[in-house]
Amino acid sequence: MLSESSAAVVAATLPAVQAHGEAITGRFYRRMFDAHPELLDIFNRGNQATGQQKAALAAAVVAYAEHLTGGSSMPWGPILDRIAHKHASLGITATQYTIVGRHLLGAVGEVLGDAVTPEVATAWDEVYWLLACELIAREARLYTVAGVPEDGSVWRSWRVAERTAETRDVVSFTLVPADGGAAPDFTPGQYVSVAVDLDGGRGQQIRQYSLSGRPGAASWRITVKRVRGVDGAPDGMVSTFLHERVSVGDTLRLSPPFGEVNAIGDSGPLLLVSAGIGLTPAMAALEHLAATAPERPVELVHADRAGAAHALRHELPALQERLPRLSVRLWYEDAADAELAGLKAEVSSGLVDPELIPVRPDTYVHLCGPVPFMALVRGGLLRRGVPTERIAYEVFGPGMLRD
Ligand SMILES: Cc1cc2nc3c(=O)[nH]c(=O)nc-3n(C[C@H](O)[C@H](O)[C@H](O)COP(=O)(O)OP(=O)(O)OC[C@H]3O[C@@H](n4cnc5c(N)ncnc54)[C@H](O)[C@@H]3O)c2cc1C
Ligand code: HEM
């Protein structure tokens, strides 16, 4: 709870902070990276360049201030969980919250000038630390459960045991712990962070990749789409590095598995809807169910450019044998090469039509794909009566879907 005096000050200054959000965010990162250049290795430079992530941190503090002063009824639990899992996968420490807090509040002072009286500064400091404490506590629990060692480092070395070209643009890496230890278990839908040292002394970059293999196996698998720059933008840093530089026998630094999104729900019918590389959590879900609950009714809906672009499709016939109640519904923009020996699937050409996705009211849904695709499908399912709490989704970037 925010103290009464701070609540009044925050409510009064919220419009000014909101109005200058972009300027505050810009100053914040500049100040912080000038004082702590080592943090450039933790933040995603692609997201910084496109502005995607830049606003997320400061915007979350402002949204939390609105929540504390009664101006919003946003459900904070899921938002805090999402941020905490992402932070934990990056190895964010409690000490770093002091750095971020100092520079965020310093940026507010720089932008709003004399309007930031000592009372205003104290009130916003209180907002920041209420939110920070919520996150630090969640992250501490996640670190304990994941068995992160005393020194707080989340990184462990993994050796590439196999590298498989899935399609022209997609490669899978099978990874085993380089120290010969066991691969930790994970739940379908979880991801790992992968840290790589870019060529030419460009420093470290970290990205998340959903585990696409069977939970409980002796190895992990990630399946990575190569991101190509369009309209003059550079190619993706980490996906290009993984495609071009990483071979069998090389090692990669990986975090433990994190991620709050459950790809399988409870015990009823399951609907997995994916597009493009968004199929990775669904593949882990299918592998898991084939091993643990083969009688579960599962509907797999996948959208892709064409059969040849549909990664891991060749695994579906064997999964259908192991999961007798698995039906597959595919939408290919170009369905000319839709046939695959042994795969029983209904195939349509063109873009996915949410009205044609088979659902029952008690279905648990997991969505993963580009944000506009998920927004379209989720909207259609909500209109058709699927309750919002039965639709889970994973965004392969910062942020969540808006209602
Ligand atoms: C929870 C989660 C799970 C994920 N799972 C998977 C998965 O299973 N498989 C998978 O392939 N991906 C997955 N991702 C996505 C993955 O983490 C990366 O985002 C993806 O690989 C792209 O990273 P990159 O470093 O190659 O691209 P970046 O270098 O981060 O570039 C991203 C985009 O920004 C553009 N860009 C970069 N710099 C600039 C600039 N200066 N100006 C203009 N544009 C610029 C690039 O052109 C590109 O389009 C997941 C993401 C999350 C959050
Ligand atoms: C109260 C304090 C903080 C808030 C409100 C906050 C908020 C957020 C949010 C909303 C995201 C995006 C999550 C998503 O993927 O959807 C995020 C990601 C991230 N945060 Fe924080 N954060 C805080 C503190 C910190 C600290 C202390 C650090 C460490 C220096 C940090 C580093 C990062 C990084 C590196 C990412 C991922 C960036 C990316 O991949 O682009 N954050 N944070």
Side-chain angles (χ1 to χ4, degrees), residues 13 31 44 52 92 96 184 193 212 235 248 279 294 335 389 399:
T13 47
R31 285 176 61 114
N44 178 327
Q52 265 214 49
I92 302 302
Q96 288 168 334
S193 279
S212 65
D235 289 342
V248 170
L279 50 71
E389 64 279 7

Side-chain angles (χ1 to χ4, degrees), residues 41-389:
D41 280 356
I42 303 181
F43 280 85
N44 178 327
R45 275 182 238 152
N47 288 345
Q48 288 280 320
T50 57
Q52 265 214 49
Q53 157 69 25
K54 244 183 169 173
L57 199 160
V61 176
V62 172
Y64 197 64
E66 238 182 323
H67 165 72
L68 291 175
T69 53
S72 94
S73 55
M74 221 194 266
W76 270 85
I79 299 173
L80 294 172
D81 282 341
R82 166 141 186 120
I83 303 173
H85 277 269
K86 181 69 76 68
H87 280 170
S89 84
L90 292 155
I92 302 302
T93 62
T95 317
Q96 288 168 334
Y97 278 86
T98 312
I99 300 171
V100 164
R102 186 184 317 130
H103 292 289
L104 188 56
L105 297 166
V108 173
E110 263 186 53
V111 173
L112 298 187
D114 292 344
V116 184
T117 59
E119 292 73 36
V120 172
T122 305
W124 279 94
D125 193 54
E126 207 177 316
V127 170
Y128 174 80
W129 279 105
L130 279 172
L131 179 50
C133 287
E134 289 265 15
L135 291 169
I136 291 168
R138 277 174 158 79
E139 288 153 26
R141 274 196 299 275
L142 292 173
Y143 288 142
T144 304
V145 172
V148 170
E150 284 293 299
D151 68 1
S153 167
V154 291
W155 305 111
R156 182 176 179 192
S157 184
W158 290 69
R159 188 172 52 78
V160 177
E162 269 174 56
R163 179 191 154 117
T164 311
E166 307 289 359
T167 67
R168 200 169 65 92
D169 277 337
V170 177
V171 161
S172 288
F173 298 94
T174 301
L175 299 144
V176 292
D179 58 13
D185 201 2
F186 63 93
T187 52
Q190 288 199 302
Y191 55 82
V192 292
S193 279
V194 177
V196 304
D197 297 317
L198 300 170
D199 308 320
R202 286 183 298 146
Q204 170 190 271
Q205 278 290 277
I206 305 172
R207 300 290 182 270
Q208 290 70 44
Y209 292 99
S210 300
L211 291 161
S212 65
R214 182 173 66 79
S219 56
W220 283 351
R221 181 176 72 172
I222 57 170
T223 302
V224 179
K225 180 179 173 188
R226 179 181 191 137
V227 172
R228 295 181 193 269
V230 286
D231 297 335
D235 289 342
M237 279 176 262
V238 175
S239 63
T240 305
F241 181 91
L242 293 172
H243 273 252
E244 290 185 350
R245 294 269 187 260
V246 179
S247 321
V248 170
D250 289 344
T251 54
L252 287 172
R253 292 191 298 286
L254 264 58
S255 75
F258 289 107
E260 75 297 356
V261 179
N262 176 345
I264 54 170
D266 35 41
S267 54
L270 175 65
L271 169 62
L272 298 165
V273 186
S274 56
I277 195 60
L279 50 71
T280 48
M283 295 309 286
L286 293 176
E287 279 292 345
H288 179 70
L289 294 178
T292 60
E295 291 307 320
R296 184 115 178 245
V298 187
E299 197 80 48
L300 176 73
V301 171
H302 180 73
D304 226 311
R305 276 179 289 114
H310 179 174
L312 306 177
R313 158 173 97 136
H314 62 277
E315 297 185 357
L316 293 178
L319 281 164
Q320 276 185 321
E321 285 191 6
R322 293 162 64 208
L323 285 161
R325 298 173 76 190
L326 166 63
S327 349
V328 179
R329 181 95 171 69
L330 303 169
W331 266 273
Y332 290 146
E333 285 172 48
D334 174 359
D337 65 344
E339 290 295 312
L340 178 74
L343 177 62
K344 297 185 282 295
E346 198 176 325
V347 187
S348 305
S349 58
L351 300 178
V352 70
D353 179 350
E355 299 303 316
L356 299 180
I357 295 179
V359 273
R360 306 214 301 245
D362 58 342
T363 298
Y364 179 85
V365 186
H366 178 269
L367 301 177
C368 190
V371 166
F373 166 84
M374 291 199 287
L376 176 82
V377 173
R378 183 164 172 267
L381 295 178
L382 289 173
R383 274 194 302 281
R384 289 170 63 200
V386 182
T388 174
E389 64 279 7

Side-chain angles (χ1 to χ4, degrees), residues 383-400:
R383 274 194 302 281
R384 289 170 63 200
V386 182
T388 174
E389 64 279 7
R390 293 195 69 77
I391 309 180
Y393 61 87
E394 184 69 81
V395 180
F396 275 6
M400 298 172 82

